[in-house]
Structure formats: structure tokens, C-alpha cells
Amino acid sequence: MQKQNETPASTEISFLNCIDLSNPDTQQSVSLLKQACLDCGFFYVTNHGISQEFMEEVFSQSRKFFELPSSEKMKVLRNEKHRGYTPVLDELLDPDNQIHGDYKEGYYVGVEVPEDDPEAHKPFYGPNVWPEDGILPGWRQTMEKFHQQALGVARAVARIIALALDLEADFFDKPEMLGHPIAVMRLLHYAGQISDPSKGLYGAGAHSDYGLITLLATDDVYGLQICKDKDAQPQVWEFVAPLKGAFIVNLGDMLERWSNCIFKSTLHRVLGNGQERYSIAYFVEPSHECLVECLPTCKSEKKPPKFPPIKCGTYLSQRYKDTHANLNVYNKSSKLSLPEQHFKSTSLSDNCHQSSQIQ
């Protein structure tokens, strides 16, 4: 394993622009967002319409799930559609610098598509996996409501992004884009391990997100770090401060492709400091059939497209495959412990845990 060259553990805090979705001055919001996208690809979104009371209820319900015995959580193990529970070490985001997977557990919730729907055969579509109502009463309803409300926030942010790229405000509202999106919510729990980058131990390894944008809601525990210049030697990492009631929003690799690298996705990671930490990530991507190709406002004779066109569904499927453990490692007949299973899958699978960056 080759360790990355970086500065010692830093306590520097990155100051991010704040986009107020209730601000009637659209041009001011566009200006602030554009500056943030050109600077670091991260910004806060406030006054987004989801009440603080409901946000706290979602976090409370998330805790209730992760406090269940492991045997109960494994009953709703992640399936091939990426719905359900992901155990600790299931995901390996930075194979060059991690000795094994992330010290976090999670739970995926996607767009609910009935099993008999013709669309249900597509990756990331289909019915969700839910804990039994008798174990967590009302849990499903809370998560479905949050999923729907967060999608509304994402669409509002996407309209400002469109204006910042000199497109029509409703560019991303088209049916093939966010009209029928692949929107995946992921509850996350970091149990309180202490990370040590010098030893390859991370809450979440360094990575950039795959899709269009990500909304992140967090508790008040620090952990998220960003690296504004991934090519710098040494890399410089800064913490992003939690902001009560706000979403932390970051751009994904798909938007970097779309914008011809005018807007860039940014490396980020999570370092554990011994405190338990909860967060909720909401990943927003266009529909499966959406062709991601250079936007007309982002190319010229002097700046031709840097990436070939690619369908969103194809792109996302490969990215998830590259970073998640093969589900066979959870075979109940296996005598290996989970970490041993994970090591075995990374050493035997040619396609599992390769670099997460697909150009």
C-alpha cells in the first residue's frame, strides 16, 4: 500500500459560502454558488424548507436503527440494487491509502419502484429494503418523507447550478435528468474509532462523489475534511464545520464531466476522533438513460470536450462496483470474520475496489 503525501493531521477549518434558498436575490445566490464551485466545490445551503424538528426526528430514527443488534441489521443487508444495510468495512474508497474498508456502517434508501414496474429491473431502481415495522415503528415513513423532501432541495440547488453554468434555470428539471432521478439516501454511523492516516485507518477514505451533487446533513461532531487541490504535494486537508440546520453540498464527478472541468468535484474524507458521529448523505444523479456529455456552454474551439459521452446508469454501476465489497463475502456459510472476508474479496476480485476515479 502506497501512502499519500500529506501534511500532518490538521485542525484547519475551511470557510464555505452559504447559499440561502429563501433569498429573493437569485443573482446573489448564483454568484455565491459559482464562486464556491470554482474554489472548492463545497458550500452550505440554508433555509431549504425542511424543518429542524423533522431533521432531528430523522437523526433520532437513524440512531435507533444502528443501535439494533448486528443480527437484526444483517436481516436487511444491502442487496444488488444497493438498498439496505452496509456493515463496517463494506466500502473501500481509497485503496491506495487504506489498509481495509471504512470504519462506518450505513443504510441505503432509493427511489421506491414496485417490483412489477418495468423500470424495476434497472440498477438502483426497485423496491427498498425496510426493517420490520414491529421493530422500528414508523421508521419507513420517516425515511420516505425525508427522501422526498431532500429531492426538492436538490432540485432547487440544481436550478442555481444551471444558472451559474449559463444554462436555463430548468435545464436539470428535464424528465431524463432530475425529472426521474436516481436519488439515493444513505444513513451513516461512525462508531467512535480514532482514525490515523499514517496507518491507513479512516472513517471514510479520500474520494470524490460519483454523481451530480450530494447533500449532507450532519450532527455536531467534526469529522469531514476536504482537500481543495488533490494534485498538491503534500495534500492539505481542512475540516468542514457542522452548521446546524444546513446541508453541506458538494459537486460530484458527473458534474465535473458535464461542465468540462469548469466546476470540479473535490476530494473529501472522514476522520474519526473517538466520538460517535451520525450523518445523512443524499446522492442525486439524473436518470439511467441520461447521456452525460459536455454542456454547450462549457466547450469551445479552444476548450473541446475532455470526456466522451456516457450514460448515467452505466457510469454509476461501475463506480459502485469499484468501491463496495462483493456480496458473496457475507455468505452465512463462510467461517471468516467480516474483516477477513473483506481482505479476501479485495485480493481475489479483479473488479472490486479498483480506483474509484473513472475518466
Side-chain angles (χ1 to χ4, degrees):
M1 180 184 68
Q2 181 182 1
K3 295 283 193 345
Q4 64 191 15
N5 185 14
E6 63 174 64
T7 55
S10 170
T11 56
E12 290 295 316
I13 296 175
S14 186
F15 293 94
L16 305 181
N17 282 358
C18 189
I19 314 300
D20 181 349
L21 291 187
S22 68
N23 185 359
D25 187 345
T26 302
Q27 192 51 50
Q28 184 184 47
S29 296
V30 170
S31 178
L32 285 169
L33 182 142
K34 189 169 187 176
Q35 183 185 42
C37 293
L38 294 172
D39 175 37
C40 66
F42 272 75
F43 51 91
Y44 297 112
V45 164
T46 60
N47 293 320
H48 42 66
I50 302 179
S51 72
Q52 183 61 32
E53 181 182 18
F54 182 56
M55 292 281 279
E56 290 173 359
E57 172 63 17
V58 177
F59 272 90
S60 174
Q61 293 286 1
S62 175
R63 288 188 195 93
K64 287 179 181 178
F65 173 78
F66 289 118
E67 288 170 354
L68 290 174
S70 179
S71 57
E72 285 296 331
K73 290 184 285 190
M74 291 300 285
K75 289 179 182 179
V76 286
L77 179 67
R78 166 178 66 89
N79 61 23
E80 71 282 351
K81 294 294 188 78
H82 292 279
R83 306 295 178 91
Y85 175 62
T86 55
V88 175
L89 306 181
D90 179 82
E91 190 171 18
L92 185 66
L93 291 166
D94 185 11
D96 289 340
N97 295 293
Q98 289 180 262
I99 60 170
H100 46 66
D102 294 350
Y103 275 106
K104 69 176 190 290
E105 55 183 339
Y107 198 99
Y108 281 117
V109 178
V111 177
E112 184 75 26
V113 179
E115 205 162 6
D116 58 357
D117 190 296
E119 297 281 292
H121 72 281
K122 294 180 178 178
F124 311 105
Y125 274 13
N128 281 298
V129 176
W130 301 108
E132 292 180 17
D133 199 51
I135 294 177
L136 293 175
W139 198 87
R140 171 178 179 171
Q141 290 76 15
T142 298
M143 297 308 163
E144 287 183 324
K145 180 180 176 182
F146 181 79
H147 190 286
Q148 183 179 28
Q149 292 190 7
L151 182 56
V153 177
R155 285 175 171 149
V157 173
R159 292 183 192 113
I160 302 175
I161 290 174
L163 292 172
L165 289 168
D166 298 320
L167 301 164
E168 294 295 325
D170 63 354
F171 179 84
F172 292 110
D173 289 336
K174 298 171 185 174
E176 69 272 20
M177 294 187 187
L178 298 187
H180 298 287
I182 300 171
V184 179
M185 178 174 101
R186 194 176 188 194
L187 310 175
L188 293 165
H189 173 228
Y190 302 83
Q193 290 85 358
I194 297 176
S195 298
D196 186 345
S198 69
K199 295 180 180 178
L201 302 174
Y202 297 87
H207 65 287
S208 53
D209 288 347
Y210 314 148
L212 183 66
I213 58 172
T214 303
L215 311 181
L216 181 72
T218 73
D219 60 16
D220 59 0
V221 177
Y222 278 75
L224 176 64
Q225 288 190 319
I226 64 174
C227 174
K228 293 180 180 178
D229 184 356
K230 58 189 173 187
D231 297 320
Q233 293 295 333
Q235 289 183 338
V236 178
W237 291 89
E238 300 173 85
F239 280 102
V240 174
L243 183 62
K244 186 165 183 162
F247 281 109
I248 300 167
V249 181
N250 65 279
L251 311 182
D253 296 340
M254 195 176 294
L255 186 56
E256 181 173 293
R257 291 178 72 110
W258 238 328
S259 69
N260 213 22
C261 294
I262 291 174
F263 288 174
K264 294 188 177 182
S265 59
T266 299
L267 277 182
H268 52 285
R269 67 187 187 185
V270 174
L271 296 189
N273 62 6
Q275 292 179 277
E276 196 172 24
R277 181 175 179 269
Y278 289 88
S279 64
I280 304 169
Y282 192 83
F283 305 102
V284 185
E285 353 283 4
S287 73
H288 288 86
E289 302 306 317
C290 180
L291 190 66
V292 180
E293 58 183 336
C294 186
L295 296 168
T297 57
C298 298
K299 61 183 177 181
S300 65
E301 286 187 16
K302 292 183 179 180
K303 293 184 179 179
K306 297 181 179 182
F307 305 97
I310 188 170
K311 280 192 175 181
C312 176
T314 303
Y315 177 81
L316 286 178
S317 293
Q318 186 60 50
R319 295 298 299 270
Y320 272 80
K321 183 179 180 182
D322 286 344
T323 55
H324 286 73
N326 189 308
L327 286 170
N328 291 331
V329 303
Y330 300 113
N331 190 321
K332 291 180 181 179
S333 65
S334 173
K335 296 180 181 179
L336 297 174
S337 66
L338 178 57
E340 289 172 330
Q341 290 173 332
H342 201 86
F343 293 144
K344 199 168 185 66
S345 73
T346 58
S347 62
L348 296 181
S349 173
D350 291 336
N351 294 321
C352 199
H353 310 321
Q354 296 170 353
S355 171
S356 65
Q357 186 67 30
I358 296 177
Q359 297 297 335

